[in-house]
Amino acid sequence: MVAPNDEEGAEGPRCHHRSTAMLDVPFLPFCAFLGTLGLLCVAMVGAWCQHWRGGFSLDGSSRTFNWHPVLMVTGLVVLYGAAALVYRIPNTWSGPKLPWKVLHGSLALGAFILTVLGLAAVFYFHNSQGTPNMYSLHSWMGLGTVLLFSCQWAAGFGAFLLPWAPTWLRALYKPIHVFFGSTILLLSVASCVSGINEKLFFSLKNGTTAYKLLPAEAVFANTLGLLILIFGVLVVAALARPSWKRPDSDSPDSCQ
């Protein structure tokens, strides 16, 4: 065999470096795309409920239920995803961390409030119609996600925002907080996608609009589910990317 010369041997690493650079996406354009995708998901779930499901109301009818998917997608997926990405913004990598902690906690709290309102809407609808609560896998998974979310927010507030939390406790809890942050987002996506599918099964029953015939509503809602899934996967991918993580070597946390 003939050994490659120095130029040929160097060409491989150079090609690999160029291909890696071509795949590298700047954070801010990625966030702009992700924000557009999140707004599209919110707009589509609102359009679905308005156009095919009769709109919105607070009278205990199915129009009251329509608040549920809109609030859950907006709060538990899109706003929660935005809160998760706060510390990936390069501006947070230097200077005091407290303002960004407050922003992160406020976005998460806003997401939690919308989620609770979404749960209230579906329970109000079920109780008004005499429908049993908490009987489906979607409802179990959704409520479990919300309960885990509430514990995550309370623990994060106590560990990272209250002044008396010791540094060793923050260091111990931080990887747990990060892990459950991604886990809650994935569970939120799974809950929303399963809820969309469940609603289509319940709503598209008769011979002209049967789900198996794939009417326009089913195509639209299935597309919405796919976009929600893509949004969640992209947020988790951004959280896992090493080059977008906040450096910890000179973190102000060590001085707090």
Side-chain angles (χ1 to χ4, degrees):
M1 294 180 62
V2 179
N5 57 36
D6 291 342
E7 291 185 0
E8 290 173 341
E11 185 65 24
R14 283 202 298 267
C15 289
H16 176 73
H17 177 73
R18 284 200 298 268
S19 63
T20 303
M22 290 174 63
L23 294 174
D24 191 28
V25 179
F27 178 78
L28 294 181
F30 177 84
C31 274
F33 171 77
L34 206 56
T36 303
L37 181 59
L39 291 175
L40 179 60
C41 291
V42 174
M44 285 186 67
V45 70
W48 175 36
C49 294
Q50 180 66 44
H51 181 71
W52 279 287
R53 296 291 102 217
F56 303 91
S57 177
L58 297 175
D59 57 2
S61 66
S62 61
R63 293 182 299 169
T64 300
F65 172 86
N66 289 341
W67 287 108
H68 175 68
V70 172
L71 291 171
M72 300 307 267
V73 170
T74 304
L76 204 54
V77 176
V78 178
L79 197 56
Y80 184 86
L85 288 175
V86 163
Y87 290 117
R88 298 303 186 269
I89 301 174
N91 293 344
T92 69
W93 294 1
S94 61
K97 216 174 172 184
L98 182 60
W100 300 103
K101 287 183 178 182
V102 173
L103 177 61
H104 173 74
S106 299
L107 288 173
L109 180 60
F112 181 72
I113 291 172
L114 292 181
T115 300
V116 171
L117 293 175
L119 285 180
V122 71
F123 279 116
Y124 180 44
F125 165 71
H126 281 174
N127 294 335
S128 298
Q129 302 296 318
T131 304
N133 293 305
M134 303 304 300
Y135 63 89
S136 66
L137 176 60
H138 162 69
S139 61
W140 294 359
M141 185 163 49
L143 186 59
T145 303
V146 175
L147 292 176
L148 187 60
F149 184 9
S150 63
C151 294
Q152 168 88 340
W153 192 92
F157 179 81
F160 300 120
L161 278 174
L162 295 182
W164 55 75
T167 302
W168 66 265
L169 179 60
R170 294 176 181 177
L172 178 65
Y173 177 62
K174 181 180 177 181
I176 300 173
H177 186 77
V178 172
F179 169 77
F180 278 104
S182 298
T183 301
I184 290 169
L185 179 61
L186 291 177
L187 289 174
S188 301
V189 169
S191 299
C192 288
V193 170
S194 64
I196 291 171
N197 195 245
E198 182 179 284
K199 182 62 176 177
L200 290 174
F201 272 119
F202 286 160
S203 302
L204 303 180
K205 294 180 179 180
N206 61 63
T208 58
T209 60
Y211 191 12
K212 65 181 179 181
L213 299 178
L214 202 64
E217 179 182 357
V219 173
F220 188 88
N222 285 346
T223 303
L224 167 63
L226 286 176
L227 292 179
I228 291 173
L229 179 61
I230 292 171
F231 178 88
V233 169
L234 289 179
V235 172
V236 172
L239 294 175
R241 183 165 185 164
S243 61
W244 288 349
K245 292 183 179 180
R246 188 182 197 276
D248 286 333
S249 57
D250 58 346
S251 174
D253 269 352
S254 60
C255 302
Q256 291 179 0

